Amino acid sequence: MAAGSGALAASHARVAYGRLYDRFHKDRNERVAVLGVGAARSLGITELRYQPSVFLDDIPFTVIAVIDSADRLPELLLSVVISPQAALAAFGSPNEPRARMLVETELGAAGLVASQSAVALRPESPERFRVISAVDPDQLRTKVSGDINDMILVLAAVCLLIGAVGIANTTLVSVLERVEEIGLRRTLGARRYHVGLQFIAESGFLGVAGGLVGANIGVGLVLLIAVAKNWTAAIEPSTVAMAPGLGLLIGLLAGLHPAIRAARVEPARAMRR
């Protein structure tokens, strides 16, 4: 890879040992190279004391530095990097040039600089450039927040499903264990819908209780985290108030099948048990 010293600086390349090429090497077209730590390891170069060289198309380049990190161009760590001047002197112009420019901007200015870079570089034909700017922090924050909210909604839906199954199982077991009680009530004059309403009410009570407990735990966790982080807690009352109502709805739906089964119990068969 041919990269100017400005590109290495903009990529925040950190030198493990040695030194990067500079204007002196550029003016003299010195055949020097900088290795990424991955390339140096693959080539068995662990020190620069004896001025090791690498051969590119049988042309030797003296290794003067090894870099072990590059924040914006990680591919440098697996590359042999030479200066553009040395590349042109040794190999001539490439048949299919694929030049890239790395521009470092102040925080928040990436969008503005990206919109003006092509015109500033080539006013007569800015369409020859393809400019890629960093993601705007606000947009990234909004996208991440949206993804987290979607994930929380999915987890909440799974928890509601598990809660509904638990209430349904609990109510169904209660029906099976109280067949004699159901038969006695029917014998004393209770109608089918009386029995069904009783078990629907019990499952609804379980749902409301679960919603209240869950809302209290959620509010308590928010307050604890806010106190620990020295934040100001902001809790929407409607969200908290919605929990018992949602719990009631889940409880009623979950208890519907057990209630119908309880209502169908025949008094004679129940009393024989």
Side-chain angles (χ1 to χ4, degrees):
M1 180 183 297
S5 55
L8 295 177
S11 69
H12 291 187
R14 191 175 73 87
V15 178
Y17 42 90
R19 54 170 293 190
L20 300 177
Y21 42 78
D22 52 23
R23 183 177 294 274
F24 171 79
H25 302 93
K26 171 184 173 182
D27 294 340
R28 295 171 55 89
N29 289 336
E30 294 286 341
R31 292 178 179 175
V32 294
V34 175
L35 298 186
V37 64
R41 187 180 299 115
S42 298
L43 296 172
I45 297 176
T46 58
E47 60 179 24
L48 306 179
R49 185 188 313 172
Y50 301 108
Q51 297 182 342
S53 296
V54 295
F55 288 82
L56 305 178
D57 286 345
D58 295 329
I59 300 176
F61 286 80
T62 303
V63 179
I64 61 172
V66 174
I67 57 175
D68 58 3
S69 68
D71 296 339
R72 293 189 175 93
L73 288 177
E75 59 267 30
L76 291 177
L77 303 182
L78 298 174
S79 304
V80 177
V81 187
I82 61 177
S83 69
Q85 292 75 23
L88 290 173
F91 308 111
S93 299
N95 295 327
E96 297 180 2
R98 292 181 296 174
R100 292 185 296 166
M101 176 180 290
L102 179 65
V103 181
E104 184 176 13
T105 68
E106 295 291 339
L107 185 63
L112 178 62
V113 173
S115 65
Q116 299 176 351
S117 296
V119 178
L121 292 171
R122 190 65 68 87
E124 72 280 5
S125 55
E127 70 279 356
R128 298 182 63 181
F129 296 93
R130 183 167 64 96
V131 182
I132 301 175
S133 63
V135 180
D136 183 72
D138 292 335
Q139 295 179 357
L140 181 61
R141 186 183 302 110
T142 301
K143 187 177 185 305
V144 171
S145 299
D147 292 341
I148 292 176
N149 290 337
D150 293 342
M151 182 181 66
I152 291 176
L153 288 176
V154 172
L155 291 176
V158 172
C159 292
L160 287 177
L161 179 61
I162 294 174
V165 173
I167 293 175
N169 287 337
T170 301
T171 308
L172 184 59
V173 170
S174 177
V175 170
L176 296 177
E177 291 180 347
R178 295 161 62 185
V179 173
E180 292 85 354
E181 175 188 337
I182 296 172
L184 180 60
R185 287 198 62 198
R186 292 293 311 280
T187 303
L188 296 177
R191 301 294 184 94
R192 292 181 182 272
Y193 68 87
H194 291 146
V195 177
L197 287 177
Q198 174 187 348
F199 284 94
I200 287 182
E202 291 179 3
S203 63
F205 174 78
L206 289 177
V208 172
L212 289 173
V213 172
N216 289 329
I217 293 176
V219 171
L221 288 176
V222 170
L223 294 177
L224 287 176
I225 294 174
V227 171
K229 298 290 186 178
N230 198 21
W231 294 342
T232 300
I235 301 175
E236 183 65 33
S238 60
T239 303
V240 180
M242 186 174 59
L246 188 58
L248 175 62
L249 178 62
I250 296 298
L252 293 178
L253 293 176
L256 188 60
H257 173 68
I260 294 175
R261 184 164 180 174
R264 291 177 176 176
V265 172
E266 295 294 336
R269 292 183 59 187
M271 296 302 296
R272 282 198 299 269
R273 294 182 58 182

